[in-house]
Amino acid sequence: MAKREYLLIGIVAAVMLAYFIIATPVMNDDGFHYEGFAESLAHGKLDFKSFYGFQGLSFFAVPIFWLTRSHDSIIIMSAIFSLFSVLLAYFIGKEFYGNRRAGIYFLILFLLTPYPYTTMMRGFQEAALLFFILLIIYGSLNKKLWTPVTWAVGGIVKPFAMVLFPLFIKDFWNNPFNKTHGRKIIWPIVAIVIGGAYLGASYYQTGHLINNAAINSYQGNFDTGNPPPLAESFTVGIKGYLRVAANLLLSFRKIMISPLVIVLGFLSLLFNKDLKLRKEIILAIILNFILVGSLTFSFSKYLLPMTALFALASVSYLLKHKWLMIFVFVDSLFVFLPIWNYFGHNYWSNIYLYLTPFWLAAALFIYERLLAKHSFNTNS
């Protein structure tokens, strides 16, 4: 990696670290369950019965709690994952398109996705989920043997990561006992063991594979020790699929990323047949759409896998038509603003500080344009 890349990523990570440090976290809602599970585990007790939800992040937060004794350990761990995502976003873009400019553009789109790193301040898991989504994409692009394990761990952070298996499964399905890489089939087996151990422990303690919040948790009468059947989280009908479209395109619903990015990504996947992993990406998006559309209730955050993939695909248009990025920035303001006062709490002292990632993304775009103007080589 060139010195310029080290410097670029280091500056972005440093600014985001400062951004997280000056925030005022307020644990809320599901965050209490994730933190409670982590602290219980830190004291030697695995307790699925008292704390609902997917607890993948909580396992990683245990060492943080041991070191800091902080009751915000899952927030700290999420911030760490978010900082690593800076590195991943750059290298995914660079690897996918074969040039540094694409890495900068995909990093910009990561910064223009405020929901994960904002709501982690209330204990939500989406920053960790996005890290594992990016890690799965990176592993799939580079045909890493550990990708199935990352997929399994991401799945116990949030199950929506599971829809990404089309990105890598063919590398293990074909000739699984490849002599060059050893017994490749071992890695998917390890992934299954991880998922099975998690689900088995949950079933042993609760009588359910997943101690799921399901629908009743949002009416205030959810009993963590007696969760409803998982089937109650699913329904049949058109409403759920219409909700998916709304959660992609209507900014007042606290969406993940600019609707323009979604549209550009869709068009790129539709018409650009030279995109890497094009068919696999389309299949993963369809699976995400079907899964979330079939839920009794759903939120925009459940669409993180497809929004990350749409964003990656959209870079092809942004590279060809630089002026489109201006519209992405304008559109992104309408993504940031509804999340600013999320559930009535501001995690930064004023809106200008809250918009720091937006300003940072704009600075990156100006930097990239200046490099291009002065004919520096950004394509190697």
Side-chain angles (χ1 to χ4, degrees):
M1 184 166 65
K3 290 182 179 179
R4 188 185 300 156
E5 290 177 289
Y6 279 117
L7 182 61
L8 176 71
I9 294 170
I11 290 172
V12 173
V15 172
M16 292 303 291
L17 175 60
Y19 180 67
F20 297 150
I21 290 173
I22 65 174
T24 306
V26 179
M27 194 73 71
N28 223 317
D29 297 333
D30 296 355
F32 288 118
H33 287 266
Y34 305 140
E35 182 66 30
F37 185 94
E39 294 185 18
S40 175
L41 188 59
H43 289 105
K45 183 180 180 182
L46 183 68
D47 189 359
F48 285 100
K49 194 171 182 64
S50 300
F51 306 103
Y52 69 68
F54 287 83
Q55 302 293 349
L57 172 60
S58 301
F59 288 97
F60 290 97
V62 169
I64 302 298
F65 181 78
W66 284 337
L67 290 170
T68 66
R69 294 294 168 178
S70 170
H71 296 300
D72 291 332
S73 63
I74 60 166
I75 296 175
I76 297 171
M77 192 65 241
S78 289
I80 293 170
F81 278 137
S82 196
L83 293 175
F84 279 116
S85 294
V86 169
L87 185 70
L88 281 172
Y90 177 81
F91 280 105
I92 287 170
K94 180 183 175 183
E95 179 73 22
F96 194 80
Y97 291 99
N99 67 72
R100 295 176 185 174
R101 183 176 291 120
I104 293 174
Y105 277 29
F106 192 54
L107 177 53
I108 287 172
L109 295 181
F110 165 78
L111 294 171
L112 295 179
T113 307
Y115 188 101
Y117 54 74
T118 301
T119 59
M120 76 180 186
M121 295 299 170
R122 60 187 286 110
F124 282 14
Q125 296 181 317
E126 278 61 46
L129 173 61
L130 182 54
F131 167 79
F132 282 101
I133 289 170
L134 294 176
L135 193 57
I136 293 165
I137 295 172
Y138 178 83
S140 300
L141 281 173
N142 292 279
K143 300 185 183 301
K144 298 295 185 180
L145 293 177
W146 45 255
T147 307
V149 175
T150 302
W151 170 76
V153 175
I156 63 175
V157 172
K158 282 288 185 182
F160 307 104
M162 305 295 284
V163 303
L164 297 175
F165 77 88
L167 300 183
F168 63 84
I169 193 63
K170 68 177 182 181
D171 296 326
F172 296 86
W173 185 267
N174 295 326
N175 194 15
F177 297 98
N178 183 290
K179 293 181 180 180
T180 303
H181 298 102
R183 296 181 179 272
K184 292 198 297 183
I185 197 66
I186 291 174
W187 295 91
I189 291 173
V190 171
I192 292 170
V193 169
I194 290 172
Y198 179 89
L199 296 175
S202 176
Y203 186 83
Y204 178 77
Q205 291 191 356
T206 69
H208 296 271
L209 291 174
I210 302 166
N211 192 356
N212 188 45
I215 54 176
N216 293 334
S217 64
Y218 296 95
Q219 277 73 52
N221 57 354
F222 180 69
D223 178 4
T224 57
N226 186 31
L230 184 60
E232 290 190 19
S233 292
F234 295 89
T235 188
V236 177
I238 191 65
K239 184 177 179 180
Y241 298 100
L242 294 175
R243 190 184 295 119
V244 170
N247 286 338
L248 284 172
L249 301 172
L250 302 180
S251 58
F252 66 85
R253 295 181 67 89
K254 301 178 179 67
I255 60 178
M256 296 297 101
I257 201 167
S258 157
L260 177 57
V261 170
I262 300 298
V263 172
L264 292 176
F266 176 83
L267 293 175
S268 180
L269 288 167
L270 187 63
F271 296 114
N272 189 352
K273 296 183 179 180
D274 294 327
L275 280 180
K276 290 182 180 179
L277 297 175
R278 175 176 173 265
K279 293 180 180 178
E280 292 83 354
I281 289 173
I282 291 172
L283 180 55
I285 288 172
I286 291 172
L287 290 174
N288 197 183
F289 179 82
I290 292 172
L291 174 61
V292 178
S294 66
L295 293 174
T296 306
F297 67 94
S298 65
F299 303 102
S300 303
K301 60 186 179 180
Y302 297 171
L303 303 174
L304 256 180
M306 74 161 67
T307 56
L309 293 172
F310 276 133
L312 183 58
S314 75
V315 172
S316 65
Y317 276 108
L318 297 174
L319 288 170
K320 292 177 183 177
H321 309 288
K322 309 299 187 299
W323 53 269
L324 282 172
M325 187 62 85
I326 303 299
F327 291 97
V328 168
F329 275 105
V330 173
D331 201 24
S332 294
L333 274 176
F334 296 97
V335 177
F336 274 83
L337 292 177
I339 299 173
W340 157 240
N341 194 33
Y342 192 74
F343 288 139
H345 187 84
N346 301 325
Y347 304 105
W348 288 269
S349 59
N350 62 68
I351 195 168
Y352 302 105
L353 280 177
Y354 161 68
L355 288 171
T356 295
F358 182 89
W359 312 131
L360 182 57
L364 277 177
F365 181 62
I366 294 170
Y367 165 81
E368 185 277 326
R369 289 288 75 216
L370 287 174
L371 283 180
K373 183 177 180 181
H374 292 285
S375 300
F376 287 106
N377 181 13
T378 60
N379 294 317
S380 60

